Amino acid sequence: MTPPPAEAATMGQASAAFVPAEERRPPSLSVGPIGWIRANLFNSWASTAVTLVLGYLIIRWTLGFLDWAVFNAVWSVPGTGQAVNTTACREMKGIGACWALIGEKYRFILFGLYPFDEQWRPAVCIAIFVGLYVVSAMRRFWRRELLFIWIAALTVIGILMWGGVFGLPYVEQERWGGLIITLILSTFGIALAFPLAIFVALGRRAHNLPAVKALCVVYIELIRGVPLISLLFMASVMFPLFLPEGMNIDKLLRAQIAIILFAAAYLAEVIRGGLQALPRGQYEAAEALGLSYWQKTGLIILPQALRMVIPPLVNTFIGMFKDTSLVLIIGIFDLLNAAKTSIIEPAWQGFGTEAYLAVAAIYFVFCFAMSKYSAGLETEFNRHRNR
Amino acid sequence: MQQAAVQQAANDHAAALEAAQPMIVLDKVNKWFGALHVLRDVTLTVKERERVVVCGPSGSGKSTMIRCINRLEVHQEGRIEVDGIELTGDLKNIDAIRREVGMVFQSFNLFPHLTILENLTLAPIWVRKMPKREAEELAMTYLGRVKIPEQAHKYPGQLSGGQQQRVAIARALCMRPKIMLFDEPTSALDPEMIKEVLDVMVELADSGMTMVVVTHEMGFARQVADRVVFMDRGEVVEVAPPTEFFGNPRSDRLKMFLSQILRGH
């Protein structure tokens, strides 16, 4: 395939004379922040107009909010307790926020009716919970020992909350309240509903065990078919009627069980989605190697299925965390109920915005942390996925 | 000289087969998918150290047949016996047979969340209860044999198709099976990767492994198979040694099949 001499000569000349064109940088107006702004905010007359209008509204609203929340805010008022004088707040109502309310009531919002002098106990418990979350979030602690850490931590929390031993005065459960209730309900809710949901999801797919499958389907459909509030009412009002005389399970525990059962039904469907998305070949390869059902499920199926459903799982967790606030309807003092109750005194009536904003901020911190963590987990798990 | 040795080895192999015990026995096996009759009175015996290649048009039941041997599919009638153990609903028998039978799939089916090494050591550790260190040594031996020991700490997604299929073969071999089943092992591969997988399979055949291979690679069948099985519409139509199978096909269905797949060769 030698080219004819004439052609070879011209090619030779061309390649000898070839000098790559000078490399140039892209036009400076098309890259970097300026390029981004031009491409996304001002790429046509219409988009320029929308950008300007929205920009004006955002700036105006932000300045207005800062005026209310910071510059005109009332940070403290004279007096305390019954003798508090909230005139300063009332004069600024609508113009400036009354953060004095939070300064006065934050302990009630966080700890509810827990005896004032003992409130360090729920405070420590909240810290233990947060510590537990942080430790559990780190993958290098994902070992058998983590289970013992949890059992130990929950035991300490139980001792601190109830007391009655080690010289701690006994505090009955009816007086617990505030953030700790929200954390207890959602932590136990997630920690116990999750394994239950895995079994229900597996059960629903157990085609060779029709009875188990039917049971799981009935459970999921029954629980999903009713609102959480009705389950909570059932737990608090109806359930005690069926108990034998003299037997009593406390209200918090009943609400807790209702939340676990409710969450597990939703989580089971999320997990089932992951199980179904896994290619059949993975099941077959595990079986062909001689793995037993539980080895196959624990080593091959669940690790992959759960990774696939991290976004909807965390979505459900976040929903559950906020749904625990519905227990206020059966008179349990969770964070939201405590905030609602904190503005019941005549002196503080009308400052709901401030109280609810403070509580919203607490909810947001927990939910946003979950959301960021799940995003990080996804990136880490997908690093080795087929590329 | 070398040719004579090869011929000698082939003769020895043929003589040994005469005396060998049957490893897989299928006796009048029938299977239906719903109302569809996919296996019709399939009868076939595979002896120890024998290499059997199964071919046939798609939908002929060859994959279903091979998958019945380790009970990935359940047959409804007839008898299947593997290494002297009959396949019934008895879970203990199924587990025993799966420990002795390795399988390689068309789509590799490696576990994407585990490294190559973990893919290989999983079953020895959990099923054979082998200590981790020993399992890893075994795995490295087999990775060496399929010529990719340097990939041990990568994940399946980082390997080429041919490499993944070789890992899949090594994974099955780590259980030290008596029988290896191959279900179209090269059908999902790019053409330039088929040879590296077939080379590994030829080597495995030379080492004396009992093999049942569903494939369209007729070159492989000619080179390696003791017998070639032709299936069509759920039936075993013809079974013959490769020279006879390709040189002197008896049935019209096989003649037509061969003329179709060998066109242009």
Side-chain angles (χ1 to χ4, degrees):
Chain A
M1 287 293 278
T2 37
E7 207 181 316
T10 49
M11 274 176 71
Q13 262 176 9
S15 66
F18 177 72
V19 176
E22 196 189 342
E23 256 185 51
R24 291 190 300 131
R25 299 173 62 82
S28 62
L29 285 180
S30 71
V31 290
I34 296 176
W36 186 89
I37 288 172
R38 274 165 57 103
N40 293 293
L41 301 182
F42 298 103
N43 60 346
S44 71
W45 282 110
S47 107
T48 303
V50 171
T51 301
L52 291 178
V53 170
L54 284 181
Y56 170 74
L57 289 176
I58 289 171
I59 290 168
R60 217 189 120 157
W61 186 86
T62 309
L63 290 180
F65 180 78
L66 283 178
D67 268 347
W68 177 81
V70 183
F71 303 123
N72 295 334
V74 179
W75 298 92
S76 62
V77 289
T80 184
Q82 296 297 327
V84 73
N85 180 354
T86 54
T87 327
C89 274
R90 300 235 167 263
E91 279 167 0
M92 294 300 280
K93 195 152 171 27
I95 306 165
C98 179
W99 297 125
L101 165 78
I102 308 301
E104 172 79 12
K105 292 287 188 185
Y106 76 95
R107 288 184 63 159
F108 183 82
I109 294 175
L110 288 177
F111 308 121
L113 295 167
Y114 209 85
F116 195 80
D117 293 334
E118 300 292 330
Q119 284 180 359
W120 63 272
R121 283 155 58 178
V124 170
C125 289
I126 291 170
I128 294 177
F129 267 127
V130 172
L132 261 186
Y133 303 150
V134 171
V135 169
S136 310
M138 285 191 269
R139 280 193 82 192
R140 78 185 118 109
F141 288 106
W142 288 9
R143 284 180 274 135
R144 197 167 300 230
E145 289 85 337
L146 191 59
L147 190 65
F148 298 113
I149 296 179
W150 269 80
I151 293 171
L154 295 181
T155 314
V156 172
I157 288 173
I159 291 172
L160 278 172
M161 289 304 290
W162 265 297
V165 284
F166 306 127
L168 297 169
Y170 174 71
V171 179
E172 64 268 37
Q173 185 264 301
E174 280 71 21
R175 299 196 62 176
W176 303 5
L179 181 58
I180 190 71
I181 290 285
T182 297
L183 292 186
I184 288 175
L185 287 174
S186 45
T187 306
F188 281 98
I190 289 170
L192 297 178
F194 187 51
L196 176 62
I198 289 177
F199 284 110
V200 173
L202 291 172
R204 186 160 185 178
R205 282 175 56 83
H207 304 295
N208 47 348
L209 300 171
V212 173
K213 184 181 170 181
L215 194 71
C216 292
V217 172
V218 168
Y219 165 72
I220 291 173
E221 297 306 336
L222 268 187
I223 299 280
R224 282 204 308 184
V226 296
L228 177 55
I229 290 183
S230 68
L231 276 186
L232 289 172
F233 270 129
M234 260 191 261
S236 87
V237 182
M238 266 174 61
F239 184 68
L241 301 179
F242 297 114
L243 285 181
E245 193 91 19
M247 189 177 161
N248 190 24
I249 303 178
D250 77 36
K251 190 157 74 174
L252 186 63
L253 181 59
R254 279 182 269 136
Q256 179 76 75
I257 291 171
I259 287 176
I260 291 171
L261 292 179
F262 186 77
Y266 280 84
L267 288 173
E269 285 297 277
V270 170
I271 294 168
R272 187 167 71 95
L275 293 175
Q276 263 165 355
L278 209 58
R280 222 171 103 85
Q282 292 291 310
Y283 291 82
E284 290 177 350
E287 281 164 22
L289 284 170
L291 296 178
S292 70
Y293 174 81
W294 290 111
Q295 287 171 340
K296 175 182 75 178
T297 305
L299 297 167
I300 307 299
I301 306 306
L302 282 178
Q304 295 187 65
L306 293 181
R307 275 168 212 210
M308 274 192 271
V309 294
I310 288 175
L313 268 185
V314 173
N315 192 28
T316 314
F317 287 162
I318 289 177
M320 278 175 64
F321 183 76
K322 293 179 296 181
D323 278 355
T324 57
S325 58
L326 289 173
V327 295
L328 77 86
I329 224 140
I330 55 170
I332 292 176
F333 268 84
D334 78 316
L335 185 58
L336 188 64
N337 200 4
K340 182 169 164 270
T341 314
S342 71
I343 47 169
I344 236 165
E345 285 169 35
W348 294 111
Q349 267 174 20
F351 296 106
T353 315
E354 286 84 345
Y356 289 130
L357 266 181
V359 168
I362 296 175
Y363 275 110
F364 179 79
V365 166
F366 281 96
C367 295
F368 190 64
M370 276 193 257
S371 168
K372 285 313 264 185
Y373 176 66
S374 96
L377 210 54
E378 266 177 73
T379 325
E380 198 177 329
F381 278 150
N382 289 337
R383 199 174 293 156
H384 307 296
R385 284 286 281 280
N386 311 348
R387 12 174 174 147
Chain B
M1 187 70 184
Q2 204 189 353
Q3 215 155 21
V6 170
Q7 187 57 46
Q8 181 61 36
N11 288 345
D12 287 353
H13 178 68
L17 274 187
E18 287 291 314
Q21 294 293 314
M23 276 300 262
I24 305 171
V25 177
L26 287 91
D27 187 18
K28 289 202 184 313
V29 172
N30 280 279
K31 177 170 178 61
W32 290 262
F33 284 133
L36 191 66
H37 200 171
V38 287
L39 292 182
R40 308 181 190 203
D41 282 340
V42 170
T43 299
L44 181 71
T45 303
V46 179
K47 289 183 169 176
E48 195 174 354
R49 301 170 77 89
E50 191 177 17
R51 284 97 61 157
V52 172
V53 166
V54 183
C55 59
S58 65
S60 61
K62 48 196 196 307
S63 281
T64 309
M65 191 265 286
I66 199 177
R67 287 157 60 86
C68 280
I69 295 173
N70 66 351
R71 213 175 173 86
L72 288 183
E73 302 287 355
V74 179
H75 63 287
Q76 283 129 319
E77 265 179 32
R79 203 168 55 89
I80 299 180
E81 216 174 79
V82 181
D83 195 20
I85 307 168
E86 186 174 356
L87 261 181
T88 56
D90 188 345
L91 288 178
K92 221 187 284 167
N93 284 1
I94 296 173
D95 284 344
I97 285 172
R98 283 179 178 164
R99 276 196 292 270
E100 306 303 333
V101 179
M103 184 156 196
V104 175
F105 300 87
Q106 180 177 352
S107 49
F108 330 136
N109 294 346
L110 295 179
F111 304 129
H113 62 303
L114 302 177
T115 64
I116 301 304
L117 192 63
E118 287 165 341
N119 264 279
L120 267 64
T121 56
L122 184 89
I125 289 174
W126 289 91
V127 181
R128 291 254 190 252
K129 310 291 177 206
M130 195 183 277
K132 192 177 172 206
R133 179 173 295 251
E134 199 185 322
E136 285 178 351
E137 279 169 20
L138 182 73
M140 289 313 293
T141 312
Y142 281 112
L143 275 185
R145 201 178 290 178
V146 301
K147 302 181 186 66
I148 33 176
E150 71 283 0
Q151 312 283 4
H153 297 287
K154 291 196 181 164
Y155 285 83
Q158 296 166 289
L159 269 54
S160 74
Q163 289 174 325
Q164 289 195 47
Q165 193 60 298
R166 284 187 280 154
V167 170
I169 295 173
R171 177 175 71 177
L173 290 177
C174 277
M175 283 294 283
R176 296 191 188 281
K178 293 183 178 160
I179 302 166
M180 284 286 283
L181 307 176
F182 293 84
D183 188 3
E184 305 205 23
T186 57
S187 300
L189 293 173
D190 291 337
E192 72 269 25
M193 292 171 182
I194 291 177
K195 187 175 177 299
E196 63 186 58
V197 171
L198 289 181
D199 284 349
V200 167
M201 290 168 60
V202 170
E203 240 170 73
L204 188 63
D206 289 343
S207 74
M209 176 65 73
T210 308
M211 291 164 71
V212 180
V213 184
V214 173
T215 186
H216 297 296
E217 292 294 329
M218 291 301 126
F220 176 81
R222 277 207 177 94
Q223 185 186 352
V224 167
D226 294 306
R227 283 186 299 158
V228 186
V229 175
F230 174 63
M231 286 184 74
D232 191 19
R233 284 173 238 161
E235 282 178 294
V236 172
V237 179
E238 204 161 328
V239 184
T243 41
E244 205 183 314
F245 187 89
F246 294 108
N248 185 21
R250 278 165 291 163
S251 62
D252 290 341
R253 278 145 91 181
L254 177 54
K255 280 176 195 159
M256 189 149 95
F257 177 71
L258 287 176
S259 76
Q260 277 166 348
I261 63 163
L262 297 178
R263 186 179 301 153
H265 280 248

